[in-house]
Amino acid sequence: MVASRTERLKAIAVVAPSVGAILLFVYVFIGWTVRTSFSQWRGILPDYTFAGFDNYIAVLNSPRFMINVWNTIFFTAFFLLTTIALGLLMAYILDKGVRGENFFRTVYLFPMAISFVVTGVAWRWIFNPTVGVNAILQTVGLDALVWGWHTDPSRLGTFHLALIPVIIAASWQLSGYTMAMFLAGLRGIPADLIEQARIDGASEFFIFRKILFPLLRPIVFAAMIVLGHFSLKIFDLVYTMTGSGPAFSTDFPAIFMYERTFRANQYGQGAVIAVAMLLLVSVVIVPYLASTLRKEKA
Amino acid sequence: MRTRIIVLLAVLALLGAPMLFAGGGAEAEEDELEIFSWWTAGGEADGLEAMFEVYEERMPGIEIINAAVAGGAGTDAQAVLATRLQGGDPPDSFQVHAGQTLLDTYVAPGLMEPVTFLYDEHGWREVMPEGLIDLISVDGEIYSVPAGIHRSNVLWYNQAIFDEHGLSAPVTLEDAFEAAEVLANAGVTPIALGDTNTWPATHVFESLLLATLGPDGYSGLWTGATPWNHDGVYEALTVMDEMLEYVNSDHAALTWDEATGYVADGTAAMTIMGDWAQGFFTAEGLEPEVDYGWAPSPGTEGSFLLVSDTFGLPRGAPHRDNAVAWLEVVGSREGQDAFNPLKGSIPPRTDADRSLYDSYLRSAMDDFETNAIAPSVAHGAAANEAWADDVNSVMSFFVSERDVDAAVRNLVNTAAEHL
């Protein structure tokens, strides 16, 4: 496309403010955080004296940080798995032409519209070990299933069982969102393709496995990126639902960062945790951006 | 084309104009006083309002701006305050806990102005205990004015349950375990704990440290005089481990007030909690000495583990004269007697009007005058926030894993880092 000089200037004038804002509020602040992470800033007033890797060593040696890393890995894995599986299932069923599809679609989507703070408080009470789900389980005689939920500090290897209620709450909130994504994807698949397969005698499962799922793969990928970067930064849901949990069983880097920075006034160490989170998110985002860019060039 | 750009610029200018005016409007007015705190609800807010009234009588025509920030036992407020101080925009006076929170966080970086002159002018040194003044002084200068005192080491118990089982308030740790055994055998939860926010566990731990080390040994932990691998620390953790056997099973799901509720409604018999718990009992309509009783937490008779809310004078306060007048109200008998009965705390001044206070507060006032005073760590008096946060972290692991040796090791390590 050939543009005249004025057209090009106009384009630059339109884009410049947002580019400037992004440069300032994203990249300058990232740089600032990195600088703080190498500084001796502890206490209220900034102190940018170079501290080398002192803060990094302190954070990496903290048992809480290692728990954070494992919790993030397990939470992200199970949260993605359940949300995508449930979303796909709901979309598949709705796509079959259930009566009242509009009604169900709205119902499934609603949780996404609620603030995480509200969800956190609600689920905190649902899983309360004395008055919550346990009380229901006891009345129906399923005492074997009664346990401490998010207040139980036990673990399997490095997996804290207290994460299970948090994963359930987060999946409840976002399955509807993945459902909407998959539903859009399913509607985009030409019906005659499936019709043809059916005429050729393919089973429903075969159609799903060999036709629908491959065509939905880009959506699975997109969902993983959106939900993944989101679960790596999770804060409000967990903070209101369980806090850090007993022995930090439901602790996440964002909570650690908040408390280290604003409760303990260890700004340097807080910045280290922020940098660690940035690295975690880039592990997910950078390959995605790279592949998108490659596609655009091709 | 050019006209369009001009229109665009005009729109931008119009959008920008109110911002400029807003900036101008925030400039300091002469007849204002901005007070920062995290007292936003209940008796605390009422108490603050009562002090404001005393101020308005003395300083008519000055508009008080109540810049209180809610939530998180002051955590969120302190984050806001830090941002304001970093930005060079201090309030005229702010609420701050006596002890290391004041001295290490605000005084050490030079953010506070000494207020020793007020103590000299008004003779406050004669009416406030030395142990308290020490907690707000560095190098002979005093840096804040205490408004109220809370006691951390208090054991609260349900009077009906104690009567039913023929128990009296336990004095020593042995008494407490004997009572707990009797109650456990009778099917009553002996001790209520609600440590979902971790600090209540640290709160119990500091009372036990005070019991096993005594006030001097305990205070020495925070100055390096007492080593953290002292037998008393092992003993306190061992006692805590035993105590956790008698605690409600859902302790990890409860907050401190829910646990106090267990004692109020008879689900549990006793709990170790600061005397702000009394406000909770009162709100439930319970009568002191009839429905509930109290004693110093087991083994700490003669010691007063202190939490004190004070107000200081930040450097560069926009209305310094008004702020000094405010501090004069905070330190006055009139101001303290207006604030404390509503807040449910005792006045730092020992010459207060006793008839305004209920029976619990009167007993605490007696103890405050005669007991050895020690600083609380769970509430920011004994150690700076970083150290207190580390102690909380050790306790969070300890309550779940109950490993005394690991806890001592970690406490020794964090102490080495902060001393």
Side-chain angles (χ1 to χ4, degrees):
Chain A
M1 194 179 77
V2 185
S4 72
R5 217 178 112 82
T6 44
E7 286 291 307
R8 204 177 303 157
L9 276 179
K10 226 196 296 180
I12 290 171
V14 166
V15 177
S18 74
V19 170
I22 287 172
L23 271 182
L24 176 65
F25 291 114
V26 177
Y27 294 98
V28 170
F29 283 174
I30 287 175
W32 202 344
T33 305
V34 173
R35 177 176 170 222
T36 308
S37 74
F38 286 103
S39 78
Q40 289 179 359
W41 185 356
R42 45 175 74 195
I44 295 232
L45 291 187
D47 173 5
Y48 290 110
T49 320
F50 187 68
F53 283 95
D54 284 2
N55 293 325
Y56 285 84
I57 293 164
V59 168
L60 287 174
N61 276 336
S62 136
R64 190 171 168 184
F65 183 71
M66 287 325 289
I67 293 177
N68 277 296
V69 171
W70 282 113
N71 279 355
T72 307
I73 292 171
F74 283 119
F75 176 76
T76 307
F78 288 119
F79 167 65
L80 285 183
L81 209 67
T82 45
T83 318
I84 290 175
L86 275 176
L88 193 54
L89 183 72
M90 289 191 294
Y92 186 69
I93 293 170
L94 285 189
D95 191 49
K96 288 271 142 203
V98 184
R99 196 179 302 162
E101 187 208 315
N102 282 335
F103 172 74
F104 284 111
R105 203 172 51 204
T106 321
V107 166
Y108 291 151
L109 254 177
F110 258 147
M112 204 187 84
I114 304 173
S115 152
F116 264 131
V117 175
V118 178
T119 326
V121 173
W123 284 94
R124 179 170 117 87
W125 285 104
I126 292 172
F127 286 119
N128 180 299
T130 34
V131 297
V133 179
N134 278 357
I136 299 173
L137 289 174
Q138 267 158 348
T139 14
V140 297
L142 288 169
D143 288 60
L145 293 177
V146 168
W147 63 297
W149 298 101
H150 59 275
T151 64
D152 188 329
S154 50
R155 54 197 164 108
L156 291 172
T158 50
F159 176 65
H160 286 273
L161 298 180
L163 285 176
I164 294 172
V166 182
I167 293 165
I168 294 174
S171 310
W172 172 81
Q173 182 143 20
L174 283 158
S175 300
Y177 173 65
T178 45
M179 175 208 71
M181 287 173 83
F182 283 123
L183 206 51
L186 285 171
R187 296 279 148 87
I189 294 170
D192 48 348
L193 207 65
I194 297 160
E195 209 51 47
Q196 208 135 37
R198 248 184 224 134
I199 290 163
D200 288 345
S203 69
E204 282 302 303
F205 180 71
F206 185 88
I207 292 171
F208 181 79
R209 177 118 172 54
K210 293 286 179 189
I211 301 172
L212 294 184
F213 195 70
L215 286 170
L216 287 176
R217 198 170 288 159
I219 294 174
V220 173
F221 197 53
M224 280 175 75
I225 297 297
V226 172
L227 299 174
H229 93 279
F230 170 88
S231 80
L232 295 171
K233 296 188 300 191
I234 189 142
F235 176 80
D236 32 12
L237 174 74
V238 187
Y239 198 67
T240 47
M241 184 173 165
T242 63
S244 296
F248 303 109
S249 47
T250 62
D251 199 37
F252 287 92
I255 297 179
F256 190 23
M257 185 198 63
Y258 175 72
E259 295 193 343
R260 210 58 201 155
T261 312
F262 296 111
R263 201 165 74 189
N265 287 323
Q266 297 279 353
Y267 286 78
Q269 291 181 19
V272 170
I273 304 162
V275 170
M277 284 171 68
L278 178 72
L279 291 177
L280 268 173
V281 175
S282 12
V283 168
V284 177
I285 296 291
V286 170
Y288 173 73
L289 288 181
S291 79
T292 334
L293 282 179
R294 214 178 305 134
K295 247 178 252 160
E296 269 173 21
K297 266 187 198 148
Chain B
M1 178 62 237
R2 183 164 297 163
T3 45
R4 240 183 257 173
I5 288 175
I6 289 167
V7 168
L8 190 75
L9 285 175
V11 168
L12 280 175
L14 280 175
L15 284 174
M19 286 190 215
L20 289 175
F21 286 117
E27 228 165 67
E29 301 280 335
E30 273 307 300
D31 50 356
E32 280 180 352
L33 172 75
E34 190 188 12
I35 301 296
F36 186 96
S37 73
W38 55 90
W39 293 327
T40 52
E44 314 183 320
D46 295 342
L48 183 64
E49 206 55 54
M51 262 202 298
F52 286 165
E53 276 165 29
V54 176
Y55 185 86
E56 277 158 359
E57 268 168 44
R58 290 192 183 187
M59 305 280 291
I62 298 210
E63 191 195 341
I64 300 176
I65 301 167
N66 183 359
V69 174
T75 308
D76 300 337
Q78 278 161 26
V80 173
L81 181 63
T83 321
R84 290 191 55 176
L85 293 172
Q86 284 157 14
D89 173 33
D92 293 312
S93 183
F94 60 84
Q95 176 197 0
V96 56
H97 280 159
Q100 288 305 312
T101 304
L102 167 72
L103 300 179
D104 193 81
T105 309
Y106 300 102
V107 175
L111 292 165
M112 305 302 286
E113 211 180 295
V115 291
T116 323
F117 66 94
L118 284 172
Y119 285 75
D120 294 337
E121 245 170 72
H122 300 281
W124 289 346
R125 267 188 254 246
E126 280 78 63
V127 290
M128 297 194 202
E130 207 187 322
L132 171 62
I133 304 232
D134 285 347
L135 285 173
I136 49 177
S137 308
V138 194
D139 301 331
E141 294 280 6
I142 309 173
Y143 282 92
S144 71
V145 183
I149 307 278
H150 278 294
R151 186 180 198 172
S152 156
N153 59 324
V154 187
L155 177 92
W156 303 93
Y157 56 88
N158 182 306
Q159 192 69 53
I161 296 179
F162 266 50
D163 289 347
E164 190 187 328
H165 299 279
L167 298 166
S168 56
V171 177
T172 63
L173 286 168
E174 288 75 39
D175 296 347
F177 279 113
E178 270 170 36
E181 194 55 42
V182 170
L183 292 162
N185 287 335
V188 180
T189 304
I191 301 166
L193 173 70
D195 65 337
T196 194
N197 295 317
T198 313
W199 68 259
T202 311
H203 186 102
V204 171
F205 180 53
E206 68 179 12
S207 280
L208 296 175
L209 281 174
L210 186 65
T212 58
L213 289 161
D216 292 336
Y218 167 83
S219 299
L221 288 171
W222 313 105
T223 58
T226 310
W228 274 92
N229 53 13
H230 192 284
D231 286 344
V233 180
Y234 279 97
E235 207 191 320
L237 285 164
T238 314
V239 170
M240 180 132 179
D241 183 35
E242 266 175 73
M243 195 177 263
L244 287 168
E245 295 294 329
Y246 293 105
V247 156
N248 47 311
S249 59
D250 58 351
H251 63 91
L254 302 184
T255 54
W256 74 267
D257 47 316
E258 287 159 359
T260 309
Y262 274 16
V263 177
D265 65 19
T267 312
M270 39 186 172
T271 189
I272 294 177
M273 185 40 65
D275 56 13
W276 44 90
Q278 208 213 355
F280 185 85
F281 289 127
T282 311
E284 295 281 295
L286 303 183
E287 289 290 323
E289 288 170 303
V290 178
D291 300 311
Y292 63 94
W294 62 87
S297 67
T300 66
E301 206 175 22
S303 307
F304 194 107
L305 206 49
L306 164 145
V307 184
S308 174
D309 283 304
T310 72
F311 281 89
L313 184 60
R315 261 181 218 288
H319 314 93
R320 188 177 176 280
D321 294 343
N322 297 347
V324 169
W326 163 252
L327 294 177
E328 280 170 341
V329 169
V330 172
S332 70
R333 213 178 107 167
E334 200 190 352
Q336 297 195 350
D337 279 346
F339 172 71
N340 288 297
L342 293 171
K343 166 90 157 84
S345 51
I346 65 167
R349 291 177 72 114
T350 46
D351 62 348
D353 180 359
R354 291 172 62 91
S355 66
L356 296 169
Y357 298 85
D358 67 25
S359 58
Y360 165 72
L361 291 174
R362 282 200 301 271
S363 79
M365 284 157 86
D366 293 338
D367 286 351
F368 179 62
E369 238 175 296
T370 55
N371 284 0
I373 291 174
S376 150
V377 62
H379 308 285
N384 65 20
E385 284 97 340
W387 194 354
D389 195 43
D390 285 343
V391 174
N392 271 335
S393 164
V394 173
M395 291 321 292
S396 179
F397 282 116
F398 179 75
V399 171
S400 301
E401 286 161 15
R402 313 272 281 272
D403 185 340
V404 173
D405 291 318
V408 172
R409 211 166 40 241
N410 291 326
L411 287 168
V412 168
N413 287 343
T414 54
E417 224 175 280
H418 296 288
L419 271 172

